[in-house]
Amino acid sequence: MPGTCVIGLQWGDEAKGKLVDLLTSRFEVVVRYQGGANAGHTVVVGDKTYKLHHVPSGILTRGVVNVVTPGVVINPPTILREIDSLMAQGVEVGSNLMLSDRAHVVFPWHIAEDKVMDQATGGENIGTTLRGIGPCYRDKVGRAHAIRLGDMLRPDFAQRVEHIVAAKNKLLIGIGSQAEALDAVAIVDEYSSYARRLKPYVAETTHFLLDAVETGKNLLFEGAQGSLLDIDHGTFPYVTSSNASGVGVSGGSGVPGRWIGKVIGVAKGYTTRVGGGPFPTELDDAVGQRIRDLGREYGTTTGRPRRCGWFDAVAVRYAARLSGIDCISLMMMDVLSQLDEIRICTAYEIDGQRTDRFPSHCDDLRRVKPVYETFAGWQTDVTGVRVYGDLPEAARRYIDRVSELVGKPVEIVSVGPDRAQTMFTGSMAV
Ligand code: GDP
Ligand code: IMO
Ligand code: MG
């Protein structure tokens, strides 16, 4: 079956970028299908570190076509900076990158709205990345104020911007924005120059991908964010504005589910979350800080410290079922190596009742008491381990328990950011 997906099983930053880069040599096409510049995927190759926001992590492998599909929202200046930075690092970016003309564009009004709306949420803020993601998807669904990448190259682009800016200036005042009024002429000027630079990459991607699957090409789909941030199935309203679980692959890319043969769920050996929202296994103490320091848990996109906590098997099992995964890629096992004791949340207790079901309402998720199983740490440096059987027995026991609780085999184990620090077993063995 031509399609394989890499999907985050937690609240993002599970090291999807590392895994996609590593798997790319087995594929001909790599596809980003949702999210936008809120994503920050880090790929480490030798002494070079690449930070990708829109461009698929397949870009570092020569001969692979990287496709950004209609489900992604594109921020022109950010993607141009990303392309420039890749080229400055010696990466080829040309006909190996295709951007869908159907992808919606993030404009300055979306970023202005994001700033005001995040502050206006009753109670805890969502803590968005302030990249205009929610407002851009809102306008896409609303249609009247949406501009797609292909629209930027059409003769009525200036007219559309003027029409939208007139409405947005009123809206921004109405929702309490303190920002200066938007200047339509300046925006048209600036964004027309971005459009000219992006034009060589703009393409019709849906037929391209359908032709690819029908002719037996192998496609790798790169998820952004994580299943628990999914707009429909995540911890609403503390989610992103797209289908970040496996359910988003077809909708965002246009490739029917019948072409997807394998789904790899990516999880850290612990949990992190950036921004607001409930997090049952959060460690607001020295252990949490230790994990943050050891795992360098600071956001790739915003630099914010990531909240850290124990592995939550209730949440990951829910995400694994939702995303229809076949196997797990368990990352950051080197970080856990340094701890005396490690815990896994195996169930929740709510109102004195034990459950293994992930609740649908955030208020209930806030009330759950995690039930933990405790493991002795292995306290052995595993960053140099290259063969699964050479991992300390305690680490293998931990991995087996993760498999058992999530209900799927762990077939990839990562012990460091580098490509070489990865072990493949079972169906993923090379
Ligand atoms: P993504 O958004 O899912 O692609 O993940 P990020 O790139 O935001 O965050 C993952 C971070 O962990 C990156 O800095 C990676 O270089 C790093 N990383 C990946 N795998 C490992 C690992 O096994 N151990 C350690 N210590 N770091 C890793
Ligand atoms: P990658 O692809 C982690 C979080 C934000 C916030 C919420 C909504 O690198 O895993 P948004 O700007 O999308 O409206 O923010 O979602 N968030 C992420 N957290 N990794 C990401 O992407 C994220 N993208 C969005 O912190 O809580
Ligand atoms: Mg990230």
Side-chain angles (χ1 to χ4, degrees), residues 6 8 12-20 38-44 49-52 57 222-226 266 268 270 272 294-301 306 330-335 383 413-418 421-422:
V6 166
D13 302 325
E14 299 91 347
K16 300 173 291 292
K18 165 179 167 159
L19 190 64
V20 168
N38 49 350
H41 296 183
T42 315
V43 181
V44 177
T49 299
Y50 304 90
K51 291 183 188 300
L52 299 159
S57 302
E222 175 175 4
Q225 291 81 51
V266 192
K268 293 179 185 184
Y270 48 91
T272 63
L294 292 167
R296 297 205 183 88
E297 293 293 0
Y298 295 88
T300 308
T301 296
R306 294 174 181 152
L330 196 62
M331 317 305 277
M332 324 288 284
M333 286 301 286
D334 54 309
V335 173
T383 54
V413 175
S414 173
V415 292
D418 200 77
Q421 293 172 301
T422 324

Side-chain angles (χ1 to χ4, degrees), residues 32 35-39 51-56 59 66-69 72-87 93 97-100 103-106 131 149 152 191 194-195 197-199 201-202:
R32 265 286 304 272
N38 49 350
K51 291 183 188 300
L52 299 159
H53 300 287
H54 307 83
V55 176
I59 198 77
N66 292 273
V67 184
V68 175
T69 64
V72 175
V73 291
I74 295 180
N75 181 316
T78 310
I79 195 169
L80 283 166
R81 269 199 303 277
E82 202 176 326
I83 293 170
D84 288 344
S85 143
L86 283 165
M87 286 172 150
V93 187
L97 177 65
M98 294 170 74
L99 308 178
S100 169
H104 283 251
V105 177
V106 176
R131 296 299 187 269
L149 195 55
M152 292 178 74
Y191 280 70
Y194 298 145
R197 283 202 58 205
L198 286 172
K199 194 174 173 192
Y201 306 106
V202 180

Side-chain angles (χ1 to χ4, degrees), residues 147 150-164 188:
I147 297 181
D151 300 334
M152 292 178 74
L153 299 165
R154 298 177 86 87
D156 64 347
F157 174 55
Q159 211 184 325
R160 288 177 68 95
V161 170
E162 279 158 26
H163 167 76
I164 294 170
V188 169

Side-chain angles (χ1 to χ4, degrees), residues 381-402:
D381 179 4
V382 296
T383 54
V385 177
R386 297 290 176 268
V387 178
Y388 186 80
D390 291 346
L391 283 169
E393 202 193 320
R396 280 185 279 130
R397 261 205 306 274
Y398 184 82
I399 294 169
D400 287 346
R401 190 66 179 129
V402 166

Side-chain angles (χ1 to χ4, degrees), residues 150 163 184 243 279 306 320 333 374 404 419:
H163 167 76
N243 284 118
F279 179 177
R306 294 174 181 152
M333 286 301 286
T374 303
E404 202 171 75
R419 280 177 174 170

